[in-house]
Amino acid sequence: MKTYALIGRNISYSFSRNYFSEKFAREGITDSQYINFDIQTLDELPALLKATPTLKGMNVTIPYKRDIISLLTAIEPTAHQIGAVNTIKPTPIGLIGYNTDYYGFTESLKPLLQLHHTQALILGTGGASGAVAYSLQQLGIGYTFVSRNPKEGQLSYHQLTPTIIEAHTLIINCTPLGTYPNITDCPPLPYQYLSGQHLLYDLIYNPAQTTFLALGAQQGATTCNGLKMLELQAEKAWEIWNS
């Protein structure tokens, strides 16, 4: 039996386990199982790896996408540039890290883009935000990070003026604000300055319409959640594990 796993903390809600279990059933893949490595710290991982000799691939989620890099033998160039790993392939020489978030985000965003989407705000600076920034760079879209604790070159939420919101017609939420069960939470944007020119993309998929997206839709903005991104990154990970 081939084993695949998700590495994360407090991941009982896991998209990945449900997605792959359904995929195996749908496609008649009877020799594979998908489990969760729900760990409080990465120190627990080596023992789990040793106890799972049938392991063929792993996904990585919050909060380990960056810290996991220290345990890898090698890292694929794109993941290295992004500085975060969400897919791992065990090999005879050790663990190899990849980033398929970038692929999932890019391919789900492209059909929604219009010519005026030339500047973006990336809300949050966690592991997923690096993949989003790399994607926008490849697409030729300028971006600025927005953070509660901004570093040099980044903005804080209270610095978001009407002019800045008007100029940045693509806004991507990479924070966990609004994830079930805390569905009333949302990034503290001045939503009243959004318009029909805006595209709001939320990496969250549960609920399907977060408060962030709902408030954008009320202003006429186009909205998209993270479900398609997750599906695309999962299929890309499957491709990597089985290549």
Side-chain angles (χ1 to χ4, degrees):
M1 179 68 72
K2 298 174 185 172
T3 301
Y4 301 89
L6 175 67
I7 303 167
R9 185 191 298 156
N10 303 329
I11 49 174
S12 56
Y13 65 87
S14 163
F15 164 88
S16 298
R17 184 170 60 180
N18 291 338
Y19 181 83
F20 281 106
S21 297
E22 288 171 11
K23 173 183 173 68
F24 297 159
R26 185 175 64 248
E27 298 180 14
I29 300 170
T30 57
D31 65 343
S32 298
Q33 63 175 345
Y34 196 101
I35 62 175
N36 282 350
F37 286 161
D38 200 333
I39 54 178
Q40 290 306 300
T41 120
L42 280 177
D43 293 341
E44 299 171 50
L45 187 60
L48 284 171
L49 298 179
K50 195 171 182 180
T52 318
T54 57
L55 196 63
K56 300 297 180 187
M58 290 176 284
N59 294 119
V60 186
T61 190
I62 295 170
Y64 301 127
K65 290 185 181 186
R66 289 193 169 129
D67 292 345
I68 195 79
I69 292 172
S70 64
L71 301 180
L72 304 177
T73 301
I75 183 169
E76 183 267 337
T78 298
H80 180 70
Q81 285 192 54
I82 292 169
V85 161
N86 77 311
T87 299
I88 295 174
K89 182 175 183 177
T91 75
I93 64 161
L95 303 175
I96 313 295
Y98 300 81
N99 189 300
T100 66
D101 280 337
Y102 148 70
Y103 171 82
F105 177 72
T106 303
E107 294 306 311
S108 60
L109 178 69
K110 282 198 296 192
L112 305 172
L113 290 174
Q114 297 185 42
L115 291 176
H116 63 268
H117 292 136
T118 58
Q119 293 291 327
L121 295 175
I122 301 175
L123 312 181
T125 55
S129 68
V132 167
Y134 183 83
S135 171
L136 295 179
Q137 201 176 334
Q138 300 303 304
L139 292 167
I141 297 172
Y143 60 86
T144 301
F145 285 104
V146 183
S147 173
R148 287 174 301 178
N149 302 297
K151 296 177 181 173
E152 190 175 346
Q154 300 177 353
L155 295 172
S156 66
Y157 287 95
H158 72 261
Q159 290 176 297
L160 297 177
T161 62
T163 304
I164 289 172
I165 295 293
E166 190 177 322
H168 294 78
T169 51
L170 173 59
I171 303 178
I172 303 115
N173 179 34
C174 299
T175 78
L177 290 170
T179 307
Y180 180 85
N182 303 311
I183 60 173
T184 59
D185 292 350
C186 65
L189 298 180
Y191 290 91
Q192 67 271 27
Y193 303 132
L194 298 174
S195 71
Q197 294 287 296
H198 282 87
L199 167 58
L200 268 57
Y201 190 114
D202 202 328
L203 267 58
I204 295 167
Y205 66 94
N206 182 17
Q209 187 183 52
T210 57
T211 299
F212 167 72
L213 295 182
L215 291 172
Q218 284 175 19
Q219 300 298 119
T222 301
T223 63
C224 179
N225 67 29
L227 184 59
K228 190 66 179 175
M229 172 184 172
L230 283 165
E231 292 171 348
L232 288 165
Q233 65 84 15
E235 288 300 325
K236 180 58 76 171
W238 181 251
E239 198 178 293
I240 289 167
W241 296 331
N242 291 282
S243 63

